[in-house]
Amino acid sequence: MRLQITLLFLLLPLSLLAQTAGEDSTHAIDEVVVVSRLTQREVIPSQQLKGETLQRLSAQSIADALRYFAGLQLKDYGGVGGIKTVDIRSMGTNHLGVFYDGIELGNAQNGQIDLGQFSLDNVDEITLYNGQKSAIFQPASDFGNAGSVYIRTRRPRFGPGKAYNLCLNAKYGSGDLFNVSTLWEHRLSPAVSVSVNGAFLSSSGRYRFRYRRVTPMGQVAYDTTAVRQNGDIHAERLEANLHGIFSRGYWNAKAYLYNSERGIPGAIVNNVWRRGERQADVNSFFQARFQKDLSDRFSTQWLAKYAYYRTHYINRDTTQLPVDNRYWQQEVYLSTANVCELMRNWSMSLSYDFRWNKLNADTYRFVFPTRFSHLVSLAMALDAHRVRLQGSVLATFVHDILHPRQPMTGGSSGKTLTKLTPALFVDVPLLRPRHSASASLDLRAFVKRSFRMPTFNDLYYTDFGNSSLRPESATQYNLGIVFRRERCQGLLRSWDIQADGYYNTVHDKIIAYPKGQQFRWTMLNLGRVHITGLDVSAAMMLQPFRGLSLSCRLQYTYQDARDVSDPATPYYRDQIPYIPYNSGSAVVSASYMGWSFNYSCIYTGHRYNGQENIRYNHAEPWYTHDVSLQYRFHLGKASLKALVEVNNLLNQQYDVILNYPMPGRNGKIGVEMEI
C-alpha cells in the first residue's frame, strides 16, 4: 500500500503533463506595476534565506535551514527522522510562530511544531522576524508571537511560450537515505495556475557514533562506538496549490498531506542502545487566502483553514510499561484583516481571528478538551520624514471546555483567559539612499508584550497535566542598527550588517524535557527568566571578474539566560538548560560557469543540560563543517543539476540534546531535472 501511494505521488504530475503537452501554451499577460504601500512596509528588517542561497545549504528540512539565523537554537534529537524544534532568543519553542504560506501552523496538543516534517524541495523563501512581522496588514494571530518564521513555497513562474514546468529530484545518502520528489506546474489561464508537489523519503536512520562519558571526578565511565538503532523513517508528502490573480487582488488555495511512520531511537542511558518507541503521523490541512484592494485606501484579506492531525504512539520497551495510544487533533481557523490609509502617511488596521481546537485520545481518564480562541488586533502606522512608527494592541480571549468520560477528582472544568498585549516599533533613518547604489543606515527599536497559552498536554495530560498552570508572559526590549549598500560597482557589489541588543523577561516559564520517552514530556515551571542577548549578522556579495560571483553570510549570537525564580534554590541566576552563551554560523558560496560551491559552518558554545551550572551538567562546545558542489548544465530543453554533499566533514561527535548523539561524517548525492 505504501508503495502504491508513493508511485501515485510521483507519477501524478507526469500524467498531467502528458495530457497538456499538446496544448497551445502562448498567452499574453498585461504588465503589472507593484507600488510599495505604507501598510505593507516593514519597520524592522528581517533575516532571510531564499532562492539559490537556500537550495545550496546542506539542509534536508526547514529546521536545518533555520540553524543559519541569528537568535535561533535548534533542538535536534538526531537523524533524518528525529524531532526538530526551534527556540527563539531563549524564550522557548512555543513563543515562535511558524507560518506556512501566510497561515500559522498549530499544535494545540503540545505546541511543538516538528519542522523536520517540512521539506525544502518546494520552498522559495524562509524569513525570520523578531517581535513580529512589522507590517500592520496581517491577521491578528501574527501579532501574538515573540518571533515568527514565514515559509513561502514556490509559486509558478513560466517562461515565454511555456504553459507548464516539470521538476524531478532524487537524492541518495548516508543512513540509506532515499529522497525523491516531483513538482508539476501548469498555467490554466493567464490569471490561474496550478501546482502539485509530491515527495517520498526513506531512511534506515543508522549511523555510527562514539559514546563517551566522564564522571565528575574525571574518570572515563563509558567510551565505545555503536550504531544508532530504531531511527528509521518512511514518509510521503503531497501538496497541491491553486493560484489566481484578478484586478487589484489575488487568491490561493492549498491542500497538504503528510504521512509518516518512524522509529524513535530514544536516549542512550545506562549503556542501553535500542528503544522500542515508534510513532506514526498523518497531518493534513486545507487552507485558502483572498486579498483585494477595494480602493486606493482600503484593503481586505480573508483566510480560512481546516487541519486534521492523527498521531499513533507505541512503546514496546521492555524496561517500561507498554503504551499504545492514538491522538486526533482538529483545528478550524478563520481570519479577516482590514486596513485603511487615513492620510498619506497614516494608516490603521483591524483584524479578527477565530480558532477552534479539539483533541481526542484513547488514553485512560482523558478529558477530551476543546479550545475556543478569539483574537482582535488594532494597529496603526505612521511614516514621517525622520521616523517611522508602528503600534499595535492584541486582545486574546481563550476558553477551554472539557468532556471527561470519567468523573474528575480535584480537576478543573476548563480554563478561561483574557489577555491584552501591546507592541511598539520604531525606525529612525539616519541615512537615506539618494539613488539605487547609495547606502542606508537605520536605527530601530521595539518593545512588546506577548504570552503563550499552556498546551493541552501541559494542562490536561493524565500523567503530568496541571490544570492550574498559568500562561507564560514575555516582555521584549530590542535596540538595533542596520546598514545596507546595494548595486555597487567594482569588486564589492552589495553588503549589509545588522546588530541587535535585546533584553527579555519571561514570567511563569514552562520548560519541556523528554520524560524517558521522547513522545512524552515533563513540564517544569521555572517561574522567571531574564535574558540578555546580542545578534549580529552580515552578508556581502563580490564579483572578482565576469562570470564569477562570491557571497558570504555570517551570524553571531550571544545569550545570557538566567533563572531568577527563587534565591533559595541552588540554581538561582544559573544559565537555563541548553542555551549556549555563544553560537554562530558562516556560509560561503561561489558560482562560476554552471558550477556552485558552498561551505557552511555551525558553532555552538558550551552550555548546561541541567538546571544547576555544575561540572556534571556541563556540555562541551560543538561545531560542524559542511561542503557541497553543484553543476548545472543543459541537455536539449531540459536543465539538469548534479549535487555532491558532505556534512560534518571533520566527523565531530556531539549531542545537541544530552544522550541523543548526532550523526558523524555523512553525505549524499543527487540529481535534479527541470523541463
Side-chain angles (χ1 to χ4, degrees):
M1 183 64 180
R2 181 179 296 276
L3 178 61
Q4 294 172 345
I5 295 175
T6 302
L7 291 174
L8 175 64
F9 284 3
L10 301 179
L11 296 179
L12 177 60
L14 292 174
S15 64
L16 293 173
L17 176 63
Q19 296 175 17
T20 60
E23 298 179 1
D24 181 13
S25 58
T26 303
H27 298 276
I29 300 178
D30 295 334
E31 180 182 4
V32 177
V33 179
V34 179
V35 179
S36 174
R37 303 184 62 187
L38 173 63
T39 57
Q40 298 172 348
R41 297 175 198 164
E42 297 172 3
V43 172
I44 303 295
S46 59
Q47 299 181 61
Q48 195 174 78
L49 286 170
K50 62 180 181 179
E52 284 296 322
T53 301
L54 183 61
Q55 296 302 321
R56 290 172 186 163
L57 293 178
S58 300
Q60 178 70 29
S61 66
I62 297 292
D64 296 328
L66 290 177
R67 300 179 301 171
Y68 298 95
F69 286 131
L72 291 185
Q73 298 295 330
L74 178 66
K75 295 184 177 180
D76 191 339
Y77 291 86
V80 176
I83 293 176
K84 297 173 175 61
T85 61
V86 177
D87 182 358
I88 181 168
R89 289 187 170 182
S90 305
M91 288 183 288
T93 299
N94 292 0
H95 284 276
L96 180 69
V98 181
F99 295 81
Y100 198 72
D101 279 340
I103 300 181
E104 187 172 12
L105 298 171
N107 189 322
Q109 180 180 357
N110 58 26
Q112 309 279 334
I113 305 298
D114 182 7
L115 294 172
Q117 296 183 3
F118 295 90
S119 171
L120 288 174
D121 292 338
N122 192 33
V123 172
D124 237 5
E125 181 179 290
I126 305 175
T127 308
L128 170 67
Y129 294 90
N130 286 302
Q132 65 192 35
K133 185 179 181 181
S134 54
I136 65 172
F137 189 26
Q138 59 185 0
S141 297
D142 295 36
F143 292 95
N145 300 297
S148 302
V149 170
Y150 286 79
I151 304 165
R152 184 168 64 84
T153 59
R154 172 170 163 168
R155 296 175 183 175
R157 292 181 290 269
F158 303 97
K162 286 197 66 177
Y164 66 87
N165 295 319
L166 176 65
C167 180
L168 302 172
N169 195 317
K171 296 177 182 177
Y172 180 79
S174 304
D176 303 310
L177 171 70
F178 178 65
N179 182 205
V180 59
S181 66
T182 179
L183 171 67
W184 172 79
E185 300 171 336
H186 181 61
R187 181 165 53 193
L188 303 178
S189 73
V192 180
S193 61
V194 62
S195 66
V196 179
N197 177 226
F200 170 74
L201 172 68
S202 175
S203 174
S204 67
R206 294 169 62 88
Y207 55 87
R208 299 177 66 85
F209 67 95
R210 182 182 180 186
Y211 181 60
R212 186 177 189 272
R213 289 294 178 267
V214 179
T215 67
M217 302 300 295
Q219 298 176 338
V220 177
Y222 300 101
D223 190 353
T224 187
T225 300
V227 176
R228 199 71 162 123
Q229 304 287 337
N230 198 42
D232 60 291
I233 181 173
H234 297 272
E236 299 97 15
R237 177 176 56 84
L238 181 63
E239 181 175 332
N241 295 274
L242 271 174
H243 301 273
I245 58 174
F246 53 88
S247 177
R248 307 187 69 171
Y250 68 92
W251 60 270
N252 55 55
K254 178 189 297 290
Y256 183 93
L257 173 65
Y258 177 84
N259 177 58
S260 71
E261 199 274 330
R262 73 180 79 184
I264 302 177
I268 304 299
V269 180
N270 297 328
N271 227 21
V272 177
W273 313 107
R274 185 178 181 89
R275 301 288 177 179
E277 299 175 80
R278 301 198 66 81
Q279 181 175 325
D281 296 283
V282 176
N283 296 343
S284 60
F285 61 81
F286 172 82
Q287 66 185 41
R289 180 176 185 173
F290 171 89
Q291 182 172 319
K292 181 175 177 60
D293 297 335
L294 300 179
S295 69
D296 291 338
R297 294 196 171 188
F298 186 82
S299 302
T300 186
Q301 176 182 264
W302 294 79
L303 307 175
K305 177 180 179 179
Y306 172 75
Y308 173 82
Y309 306 140
R310 187 192 71 187
T311 300
H312 184 196
Y313 172 72
I314 302 173
N315 184 10
R316 297 194 178 96
D317 193 334
T318 57
T319 64
Q320 301 173 354
L321 292 175
V323 178
D324 189 344
N325 293 142
R326 293 171 174 83
Y327 302 84
W328 299 269
Q329 288 188 70
Q330 295 184 77
E331 177 180 284
V332 173
Y333 172 73
L334 300 171
S335 171
T336 178
N338 304 276
V339 64
C340 178
E341 294 198 5
L342 304 175
M343 298 175 62
R344 181 173 177 271
N345 295 321
W346 183 25
S347 61
M348 180 178 68
S349 73
L350 180 65
S351 304
Y352 167 73
D353 288 7
F354 168 77
R355 182 175 276 110
W356 172 85
N357 295 97
K358 183 174 179 61
L359 177 64
N360 293 336
D362 59 2
T363 62
Y364 175 68
R365 295 183 64 85
F366 196 70
V367 297
F368 302 94
T370 300
R371 173 169 293 173
F372 295 88
S373 303
H374 304 267
L375 298 90
V376 181
S377 67
L378 178 66
M380 302 187 74
L382 176 66
D383 192 349
H385 177 67
R386 297 184 179 276
V387 65
R388 292 188 296 172
L389 299 173
Q390 288 185 5
S392 63
V393 60
L394 174 66
T396 305
F397 309 92
V398 180
H399 179 59
D400 289 357
I401 300 176
L402 309 184
H403 308 277
R405 295 180 181 174
Q406 296 87 15
M408 298 183 66
T409 58
S412 169
S413 59
K415 290 187 70 69
T416 299
L417 174 76
T418 301
K419 278 278 189 179
L420 205 64
T421 49
L424 177 64
F425 293 76
V426 181
D427 176 72
V428 180
L430 303 178
L431 180 63
R432 290 181 178 272
R434 296 183 179 181
H435 50 83
S436 61
S438 60
S440 65
L441 179 65
D442 290 80
L443 182 68
R444 63 195 188 192
F446 73 82
V447 58
K448 178 177 181 177
R449 291 293 303 271
S450 62
F451 81 100
R452 75 101 163 169
M453 187 68 185
T455 65
F456 286 156
N457 277 4
D458 297 342
L459 294 167
Y460 311 121
Y461 198 84
T462 304
D463 288 351
F464 56 83
N466 181 2
S467 60
S468 61
L469 199 63
R470 296 186 301 273
E472 289 184 5
S473 297
T475 304
Q476 299 170 263
Y477 304 91
N478 187 99
L479 178 64
I481 192 168
V482 56
F483 177 85
R484 282 200 174 110
R485 186 164 186 176
E486 300 177 343
R487 292 181 286 276
C488 306
Q489 299 297 321
L491 175 64
L492 186 59
R493 294 306 177 98
S494 66
W495 63 289
D496 70 81
I497 183 168
Q498 302 181 37
D500 286 270
Y502 53 89
Y503 177 72
N504 304 331
T505 63
V506 183
H507 295 258
D508 301 316
K509 184 171 179 62
I510 303 169
I511 293 292
Y513 291 98
K515 188 182 179 182
Q517 307 161 8
Q518 187 170 334
F519 183 74
R520 296 188 177 183
W521 303 82
T522 296
M523 310 314 298
L524 178 64
N525 195 319
L526 291 181
R528 182 178 298 181
V529 175
H530 288 176
I531 304 160
T532 304
L534 174 68
D535 292 344
V536 180
S537 61
M540 66 178 63
M541 178 74 70
L542 301 94
Q543 189 167 13
F545 53 85
R546 187 176 180 180
L548 175 63
S549 63
L550 302 174
S551 64
C552 180
R553 291 174 54 92
L554 303 172
Q555 70 90 359
Y556 166 77
T557 298
Y558 169 80
Q559 292 185 91
D560 186 284
R562 305 280 179 164
D563 180 358
V564 294
S565 304
D566 185 359
T569 59
Y571 46 83
Y572 178 67
R573 299 197 62 81
D574 280 358
Q575 184 88 338
I576 64 176
Y578 291 111
I579 301 300
Y581 288 98
N582 300 281
S583 61
S585 68
V587 180
V588 179
S589 301
S591 299
Y592 179 71
M593 301 290 290
W595 291 91
S596 298
F597 173 79
N598 192 84
Y599 162 80
S600 59
C601 172
I602 294 177
Y603 170 79
T604 295
H606 79 93
R607 62 216 184 280
Y608 296 90
N609 52 50
Q611 287 180 272
E612 293 187 66
N613 291 179
I614 58 178
R615 181 177 178 180
Y616 182 76
N617 294 331
H618 183 264
E620 293 294 329
W622 61 267
Y623 55 86
T624 59
H625 301 272
D626 306 326
V627 293
S628 66
L629 181 65
Q630 302 179 15
Y631 178 61
R632 185 176 292 277
F633 59 99
H634 293 273
L635 187 63
K637 294 183 178 180
S639 172
L640 289 90
K641 182 175 70 173
L643 164 72
V644 177
E645 182 179 301
V646 179
N647 302 318
N648 196 357
L649 184 64
L650 302 184
N651 201 30
Q652 169 86 77
Q653 302 293 313
Y654 68 103
D655 297 0
V656 176
I657 302 296
L658 179 66
N659 295 325
Y660 287 83
M662 298 293 292
R665 185 185 299 110
N666 63 94
K668 70 178 71 165
I669 56 175
V671 62
E672 178 184 289
M673 180 178 68
E674 293 185 9
I675 302 175

